[in-house]
């Protein structure tokens, strides 16, 4: 049996999700996309494709320690892009960045800490470069997305305070229309500013 498919992530505040959802709702009718569900929007810090049962407790402890070393900070959703590039994209995304230079540093350190926590617990981590984003939609084939990225750029910058890291299990094919079902396993608090 394969292990648990997990990711350590930051989940936007409800008001941010609602604003972003409202912005994109009128645009979802056009285009050849499979739109992601707003209740699953998240910023992946570390993706772990197969975590064995016997590693799970140690992983959670190490992620909790990594989160506890970071101070809460503000992130903002702004702009967008396409992976692997706008001319031949298979993924449309909304950009996420620190609201100021200190927040950008905390975000980078939290992502590095989450990846280190996973590898030191004996868990394999996806080696892709960390690119902060929320996946909005996917296409079945490479698509020119420049027009869609311009639309994403029109979304007014919206921010939220990050005060915890979330560990999520992704159950492939168990959600609506055979999409993944996400299950929150743990909320791991960051250190509060000034503490």
């Amino acid at each position: 049996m394969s292990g648990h498919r997990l990711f350590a992530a930051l989940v936007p505040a409800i008001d941010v999700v609602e604003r972003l959802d409202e912005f994109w709702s009128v645009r979802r009718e056009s285009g050849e996309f499979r739109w992601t569900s707003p209740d699953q929007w998240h910023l992946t810090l570390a993706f772990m494709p197969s975590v064995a049962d016997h590693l799970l407790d140690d992983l959670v402890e190490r992620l909790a320690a990594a989160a506890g070393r970071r101070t809460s900070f503000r992130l903002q959703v702004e702009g967008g892009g396409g992976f692997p590039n706008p001319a031949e994209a298979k993924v449309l995304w909304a950009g996420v960045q620190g609201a100021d230079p200190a927040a950008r540093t905390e975000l980078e350190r939290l992502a590095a800490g989450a990846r280190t926590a996973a590898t030191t617990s004996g868990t394999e981590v996806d080696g892709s470069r960390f690119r902060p984003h929320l996946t909005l939609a996917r296409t079945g084939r490479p698509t020119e997305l420049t027009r869609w990225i311009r639309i994403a750029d029109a979304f007014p910058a919206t921010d939220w305070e990050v005060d915890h890291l979330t560990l999520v299990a992704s159950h492939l094919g168990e959600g609506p229309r055979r999409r993944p079902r996400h299950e929150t396993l743990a909320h791991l608090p960051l250190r509060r500013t000034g503490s």
Side-chain angles (χ1 to χ4, degrees):
M1 178 178 154
S2 64
H4 304 276
R5 180 182 171 90
L6 306 179
F7 54 86
L10 302 178
V11 178
I14 292 171
D15 64 317
V16 174
V17 170
E18 288 173 349
R19 286 182 203 158
L20 193 60
D21 183 32
E22 182 179 348
F23 178 84
W24 284 103
S25 65
V26 296
R27 295 163 174 90
R28 288 191 183 110
E29 297 303 317
S30 60
E32 298 177 12
F33 300 113
R34 290 184 320 274
W35 293 92
T36 57
S37 176
D39 66 343
Q40 292 187 348
W41 286 341
H42 63 275
L43 166 58
T44 301
L45 301 176
F47 172 62
M48 298 153 277
S50 183
V51 179
D53 282 336
H54 71 278
L55 299 177
L56 196 52
D57 288 342
D58 188 42
L59 171 64
V60 172
E61 284 181 27
R62 290 176 186 273
L63 285 171
R69 286 191 286 275
R70 304 277 44 101
T71 303
S72 59
F73 57 93
R74 295 195 75 76
L75 285 181
Q76 65 184 22
V77 177
E78 183 176 31
F83 290 139
N85 64 67
E88 302 174 316
K90 288 191 166 187
V91 174
L92 174 66
W93 49 265
V96 179
Q97 62 182 346
D100 56 51
R104 286 190 276 281
T105 299
E106 283 298 295
L107 174 59
E108 292 289 336
R109 289 179 177 166
L110 182 58
R115 289 176 180 222
T116 298
T119 56
T120 56
S121 74
T123 300
E124 177 188 341
V125 179
D126 174 67
S128 299
R129 184 174 139 229
F130 178 57
R131 304 252 327 249
H133 70 280
L134 306 176
T135 298
L136 299 172
R138 293 182 172 82
T139 66
R141 57 182 168 69
T143 304
E144 165 60 55
L145 291 184
T146 303
R147 181 174 69 91
W148 289 94
I149 293 168
R150 284 192 193 116
I151 293 170
D153 288 344
F155 180 72
T158 306
D159 66 315
W160 83 95
E161 182 170 3
V162 174
D163 60 5
H164 67 277
L165 178 154
T166 303
L167 181 63
V168 179
S170 177
H171 304 282
L172 295 178
E174 293 184 12
R177 296 187 303 265
R178 311 250 339 121
R179 293 184 178 171
R181 177 178 63 83
H182 290 175
E183 174 189 6
T184 299
L185 301 181
H187 291 290
L188 308 168
L190 276 61
R191 195 171 67 235
R192 300 296 298 177
T193 304
S195 56

